[in-house]
Amino acid sequence: MTAGLRRQQNDTSVADKGLITIDEASGVPIWMQLRNRLVFLVVSGAFPPGTQLPTIRELAAFLNVNYNTVSKVYRDIEKDGYVITRRGKGTSVAEVNSLGYEARDGKAAADLLVDKYFEDCKGLGLSEVDAASLVAERAGGVFV
């Protein structure tokens, strides 16, 4: 697959290369793990604009997760502008300009994930301090 995604003869898929994995023991919902990983891969440039993502069925089968879970993630990241889905053509990574990011590096990707984390925690009724404490606890206090 080109850039780890497009299927070509005698090549392996992105999932086969270990770029997308799920940790069922993490306590983080599967859909959120998948969403965060895909967003990171897009924003970091690992999946450049125009890169074709695996079909929902392919990714669901590879990760051994429900089709509806992958479908929800694809719809969510499309709504946020990371990917574009075209009927009959599949889902591909959106152009940089449509994302509104100048820098496509690891820090930018991490910043997005942190923002999403705090947004999700707020939706659960947690304060920013409580959410940050959870991260510090999980990291063994290294960030405190």
Side-chain angles (χ1 to χ4, degrees), residues 25-38:
S26 79
V28 176
I30 290 172
W31 74 268
M32 189 175 289
Q33 289 182 52
L34 181 57
R35 183 198 188 285
N36 290 347
R37 185 61 183 160
L38 288 171

Side-chain angles (χ1 to χ4, degrees), residues 18-68:
L19 293 175
I20 301 173
T21 59
I22 298 296
D23 179 5
E24 293 185 24
S26 79
V28 176
I30 290 172
W31 74 268
M32 189 175 289
Q33 289 182 52
L34 181 57
R35 183 198 188 285
N36 290 347
R37 185 61 183 160
L38 288 171
V39 167
F40 173 79
L41 292 169
V42 168
V43 175
S44 69
F47 291 174
T51 302
Q52 192 75 25
L53 294 180
T55 67
I56 294 170
R57 289 187 198 285
E58 287 172 337
L59 194 53
F62 179 81
L63 296 174
N64 197 27
V65 299
N66 189 291
Y67 172 91
N68 292 324

Side-chain angles (χ1 to χ4, degrees), residues 7-127:
R7 283 196 182 259
Q8 294 178 355
Q9 292 178 349
N10 304 321
D11 199 2
T12 57
S13 75
V14 106
D16 294 337
K17 292 178 182 175
L19 293 175
I20 301 173
T21 59
I22 298 296
D23 179 5
E24 293 185 24
S26 79
V28 176
I30 290 172
W31 74 268
M32 189 175 289
Q33 289 182 52
L34 181 57
R35 183 198 188 285
N36 290 347
R37 185 61 183 160
L38 288 171
V39 167
F40 173 79
L41 292 169
V42 168
V43 175
S44 69
F47 291 174
T51 302
Q52 192 75 25
L53 294 180
T55 67
I56 294 170
R57 289 187 198 285
E58 287 172 337
L59 194 53
F62 179 81
L63 296 174
N64 197 27
V65 299
N66 189 291
Y67 172 91
N68 292 324
T69 300
V70 178
S71 178
K72 173 184 176 178
V73 169
Y74 274 31
R75 282 191 315 271
D76 190 54
I77 63 175
E78 180 176 27
K79 174 185 63 91
D80 291 342
Y82 297 107
V83 298
I84 299 167
T85 301
R86 292 194 176 96
R87 180 171 238 135
K89 298 203 183 264
T91 302
S92 59
V93 176
E95 292 297 321
V96 178
N97 293 341
S98 67
L99 290 175
Y101 299 110
E102 304 249 341
R104 294 173 57 87
D105 58 22
K107 184 180 180 326
D111 285 344
L112 286 173
L113 294 176
V114 170
D115 291 346
K116 177 69 174 153
Y117 169 75
F118 280 111
E119 180 183 311
D120 290 345
C121 286
K122 184 178 179 181
L124 294 172
L126 295 173
S127 70

